[in-house]
């Protein structure tokens, strides 16, 4: 985990040594939570049942002269909205993992920094992984000085990527790796599912630090891929990840709480990254197409293609001739 924002969060908390840190497990802060639970920490670590309880613990410590911190995900801030709006004039620290990246995001996640500012909380949004540790420490110190809650907001790219956000995806050539296996699978199986991840979307991250859209707006290439596979005699169905469904009306989502499981023989994860965690499938062969070499979908695929979707479709058409 060296070099990840998750490690920087732990380093900052150890420097600050608050009286207690409340937490709830939740992506993208699971790695922080795991480290909090492991070994001895120079502060009390308290698991709580809800984000309301986490914020309540921080406020309660402040009211008794102490200083606390809470680790929670973005949607939890909305759960505790009333408490934050009413009790934000107490010192304390919230470290919020934002389920938002340059490959697409929930709208409520992207808007969170502005919402929190409206509640008069201090907001820090580090721009790089190198800034995370100092930003957390600075926010805590300023919180005491200004006597108001401070919120440090961290995107999933800062927390989990092994490379910092940048304006351009670092595309690495795939070469021949994966093509032979893929062509064999397409010849052997009858049905294909295309699961479209956030990477097919344009950059909806606003001003948040994130890896710019890994595929760009390549929806037309999804249709080209679908037609290419149909021309090869395959039955094709298109789904999207739950994370992308907000931006792709009319495309059935698959994943937790959707009721849809991919049962086609071959599964293409197109532009999926960490949102591949939630995909539910029973496919025999999994393909990942994404120019981001850090995309999580590459780790669970049988054939991995680190390239843009347009380049992939072009080469696939050539090989299927």
């Amino acid at each position: 985990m060296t070099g990840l924002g998750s490690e920087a969060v732990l380093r900052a908390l150890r420097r600050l040594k608050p009286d207690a840190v409340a937490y709830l497990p939740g992506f993208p802060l699971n790695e922080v939570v795991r480290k909090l639970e492991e070994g001895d920490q120079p502060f009390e670590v308290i698991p709580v049942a809800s984000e309301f309880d986490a914020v309540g613990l921080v406020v309660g410590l402040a009211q008794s002269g102490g200083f606390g911190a809470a680790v929670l995900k973005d949607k939890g801030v909305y759960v505790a909205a009333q408490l934050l709006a009413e009790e934000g004039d107490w010192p304390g620290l919230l470290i919020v993992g934002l389920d938002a990246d340059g490959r697409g995001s929930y709208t409520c996640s992207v808007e969170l920094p502005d919402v929190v500012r409206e509640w008069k909380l201090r907001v820090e949004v580090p721009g790089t992984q190198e800034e995370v540790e100092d930003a957390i420490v600075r926010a805590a110190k300023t919180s005491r000085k200004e006597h108001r809650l401070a919120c440090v907001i961290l995107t999933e790219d800062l927390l989990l990527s092994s490379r910092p956000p940048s304006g351009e995806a670092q595309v690495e050539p795939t070469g021949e790796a994966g093509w032979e296996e893929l062509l064999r699978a397409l010849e052997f199986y009858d049905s294909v599912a295309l699961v479209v991840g956030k990477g097919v979307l344009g950059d909806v991250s606003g001003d948040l630090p994130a890896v710019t859209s890994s595929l760009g707006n390549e929806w037309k290439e999804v249709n080209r891929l679908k037609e290419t596979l149909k021309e090869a005699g395959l039955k094709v169905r298109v789904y999207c990840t739950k994370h992308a469904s907000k931006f792709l009306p009319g495309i059935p989502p698959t994943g937790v709480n959707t009721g849809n499981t991919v049962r086609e023989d071959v599964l293409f994860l197109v532009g999926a990254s960490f949102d591949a965690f939630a995909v539910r499938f029973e496919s025999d062969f999994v393909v990942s197409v994404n120019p981001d070499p850090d995309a999580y979908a590459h780790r669970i695929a049988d054939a991995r293609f680190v390239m843009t979707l347009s380049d992939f479709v072009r080469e696939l058409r050539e090989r299927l001739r």
Side-chain angles (χ1 to χ4, degrees):
M1 261 181 48
T2 303
L4 305 190
S6 298
E7 274 290 354
V9 172
L10 269 296
R11 290 196 300 269
L13 288 173
R14 289 168 185 148
R15 283 173 59 186
L16 289 169
K17 298 179 182 177
D19 294 297
V21 175
Y23 73 87
L24 292 88
F27 179 83
L29 282 161
N30 285 334
E31 196 63 33
V32 175
V33 168
R34 185 175 69 81
K35 289 292 184 179
L36 282 173
E37 294 174 333
E38 292 178 354
D40 295 327
Q41 306 293 349
F43 44 77
E44 189 174 0
V45 178
I46 303 175
V48 292
S50 75
E51 291 83 0
F52 195 90
D53 293 337
V55 174
L57 184 145
V58 172
V59 172
L61 278 172
Q63 291 173 341
S64 61
F67 188 85
V71 173
L72 61 161
K73 63 182 298 181
D74 48 7
K75 293 161 195 63
V77 176
Y78 290 100
V79 172
Q82 182 176 352
L83 183 59
L84 288 168
E86 293 177 352
E87 303 292 347
D89 56 350
W90 290 97
L93 177 66
L94 307 180
I95 298 173
V96 180
L98 203 65
D99 192 6
D101 63 12
R103 294 174 289 273
S105 173
Y106 294 109
T107 302
C108 63
S109 299
V110 173
E111 295 172 349
L112 184 63
D114 290 334
V115 172
V116 174
R117 289 187 184 99
E118 290 178 2
W119 297 338
K120 308 303 180 185
L121 274 61
R122 178 176 181 82
V123 178
E124 294 263 0
V125 184
T128 66
Q129 290 170 340
E130 290 75 17
E131 296 173 14
V132 170
E133 182 177 349
D134 288 340
I136 292 173
V137 172
R138 181 174 61 252
K141 292 180 178 178
T142 306
S143 171
R144 289 188 174 101
K145 183 179 179 180
E146 297 179 351
H147 212 271
R148 60 171 173 158
L149 284 172
C151 184
V152 180
I153 295 176
L154 303 168
T155 63
E156 65 181 68
D157 281 329
L158 285 185
L159 285 163
L160 298 170
S161 178
S162 63
R163 59 186 171 87
S166 62
E168 298 294 332
Q170 302 299 309
V171 181
E172 296 180 355
T174 303
E176 293 298 311
W179 282 111
E180 187 175 329
E181 296 90 336
L182 171 59
L183 294 175
R184 249 197 321 264
L186 295 181
E187 185 176 349
F188 181 78
Y189 292 111
D190 298 318
S191 63
V192 173
L194 306 182
V195 176
V196 181
K198 294 189 292 181
V200 173
L201 307 169
D203 185 358
V204 298
S205 63
D207 296 327
L208 294 171
V211 176
T212 303
S213 178
S214 58
L215 290 180
N217 189 4
E218 290 200 318
W219 181 250
K220 64 182 182 300
E221 297 298 335
V222 175
N223 290 322
R224 284 190 67 213
L225 176 57
K226 178 181 177 180
E227 293 306 314
T228 299
L229 293 169
K230 281 186 173 181
E231 290 168 6
L234 294 155
K235 300 174 185 176
V236 185
R237 186 175 182 189
V238 179
Y239 303 84
C240 64
T241 64
K242 187 177 179 182
H243 292 69
S245 61
K246 186 179 185 70
F247 304 92
L248 297 172
I251 306 299
T254 177
V256 179
N257 299 326
T258 66
N260 294 324
T261 299
V262 176
R263 292 188 170 87
E264 283 74 12
D265 301 319
V266 179
L267 164 63
F268 279 78
L269 294 169
V270 181
S273 186
F274 293 107
D275 47 343
F277 273 119
V279 175
R280 298 178 62 180
F281 65 91
E282 298 174 359
S283 305
D284 290 335
F285 191 85
V286 180
V287 183
S288 175
V289 182
N290 196 319
D292 182 357
D294 289 324
Y296 175 79
H298 290 326
R299 304 183 202 175
I300 63 174
D302 299 295
R304 307 158 186 84
F305 300 91
V306 185
M307 57 174 58
T308 64
L309 184 58
S310 56
D311 286 345
F312 174 81
V313 174
R314 187 181 306 113
E315 187 159 350
L316 177 63
R317 292 180 74 90
E318 289 292 326
R319 290 172 180 267
L320 286 175
R321 284 182 178 176

